Amino acid sequence: MSRHAIVKATLGPILRLMFRPRVEGAENVPGTGPVILAGNHLTFIDSMIMPICLDRQVFFIGKDEYVTGKGVKGRLMAWFFTSVGMIPVDRDGGRGGVAALMTGRRVLEEGKVFSIYPEGTRSPDGRLYRGRTGVARLALMTGAPVIPFAMIGTDRAQPGGAGFPRPVQVTVRFGEPLEFSRYEGMDRDRYVLRAVTDSVMAEVMRLSGQEYVDMYATKAKAA
C-alpha cells in the first residue's frame, strides 16, 4: 500500500466525520490523463478536504518550510505532507513562481492531477480575488483540461485560517471541464493568458457564489 493510500485510509474517515463533505460534480473530473483543478482558497484545510473527495491522487504545491523542520516532529510533518501529494517549492525566492510552474507542468506531463489556487494565497475576507495567470500557462503548455472547483464553508470551519478546525459541514463543488485548445501555442500572449484566467475565475465564482474583487489578494492583504 502506498503512503498516499495509508494516509487517505486513516485521515479520510476523520475528515469525513468532522466536515461531512457534500460533493457535487465529482464525475466531471476525468478518471485518467492530465487534469488541472483550479479553485478558490479560503483556509488551510482546503488542501486536505478536497483531495479526499476524489478517487485519483491530487498533487499540489506547498511551502518548503513544511518539510524542512528538524527532529521527530519535522520528519513526521515532511512524511505527512509529501504523502498527501504536496510538492515542496521555495515560493518566496525570486524564481519561486517559475519553479512552481515547471513543477505543475511535470506533474501534468506525467498524466496526473495537479491542483492550483489561481488567487495565489488564501482569501483575506472570504471574497474571490483576481486570478494569476499560472493556471492559463499550464493549460496552454500542456493541453490539460481545467476543472474549476469551489470550496464552500471551510472558512467557517477554520476562521482566519488559524487554530484547530471545528466540525462544520462543507461543500466541494466541481464544475464541467474547460478546454482551451483554441489558444494552442499562445502561452506567451499576455492578453490570451488573462482572458483564459478570467474565464476560469468566472466559473469558480459561479460555483462558489463568492463576491468577486478585481485585484490580487496579496495587495488586499498588504493594504
Side-chain angles (χ1 to χ4, degrees):
M1 182 180 288
S2 68
R3 289 192 300 160
H4 172 256
I6 292 172
V7 171
K8 191 169 184 178
T10 54
L11 182 62
I14 297 173
L15 292 174
R16 290 189 181 92
L17 182 64
M18 285 188 65
F19 304 113
R20 309 184 308 281
R22 182 167 54 238
V23 184
E24 301 174 7
E27 67 278 4
N28 290 323
V29 181
T32 59
V35 178
I36 300 170
L37 300 178
N40 61 336
H41 195 16
L42 297 173
T43 189
F44 176 78
I45 59 173
D46 293 337
S47 297
M48 301 176 70
I49 295 175
M50 187 274 285
I52 69 167
C53 299
L54 297 173
D55 293 331
R56 299 181 66 183
Q57 182 172 6
V58 177
F59 294 88
F60 57 95
I61 295 296
K63 295 180 181 179
D64 62 350
E65 64 192 57
Y66 291 148
V67 299
T68 55
K70 306 297 183 181
V72 175
K73 180 181 178 182
R75 289 194 294 272
L76 285 174
M77 286 183 64
W79 184 89
F80 169 76
F81 282 113
T82 55
S83 296
V84 297
M86 192 197 89
I87 303 172
V89 169
D90 180 4
R91 298 186 303 174
D92 296 327
R95 299 179 62 84
V98 175
L101 190 67
M102 291 303 102
T103 298
R105 181 176 185 174
R106 175 176 56 80
V107 170
L108 293 166
E109 288 177 343
E110 292 173 355
K112 298 175 181 177
V113 181
F114 184 72
S115 178
I116 186 171
Y117 299 117
E119 291 169 281
T121 187
R122 292 192 293 266
S123 170
D125 54 16
R127 296 185 293 176
L128 184 69
Y129 283 79
R130 194 178 200 216
R132 297 188 177 274
T133 58
V135 61
R137 290 182 187 274
L138 283 175
L140 300 189
M141 284 191 299
T142 65
V146 178
I147 307 295
F149 72 88
M151 305 298 300
I152 303 170
T154 53
D155 52 340
R156 291 185 290 110
Q158 195 178 31
F164 193 80
R166 58 195 184 199
V168 172
Q169 185 172 35
V170 303
T171 297
V172 185
R173 185 174 292 151
F174 297 94
E176 295 184 0
L178 303 176
E179 196 266 334
F180 300 104
S181 61
R182 61 192 179 279
Y183 298 122
E184 183 179 0
M186 303 176 72
D187 58 278
R188 294 183 181 275
D189 186 313
R190 63 191 182 96
Y191 295 106
V192 169
L193 293 174
R194 174 47 53 194
V196 169
T197 302
D198 287 347
S199 65
V200 171
M201 298 308 290
E203 277 301 294
V204 174
M205 179 179 66
R206 184 183 67 80
L207 292 168
S208 69
Q210 290 170 280
E211 177 186 347
Y212 180 74
V213 182
D214 193 21
M215 68 181 294
Y216 293 121
T218 48
K219 282 192 174 183
K221 287 182 175 182

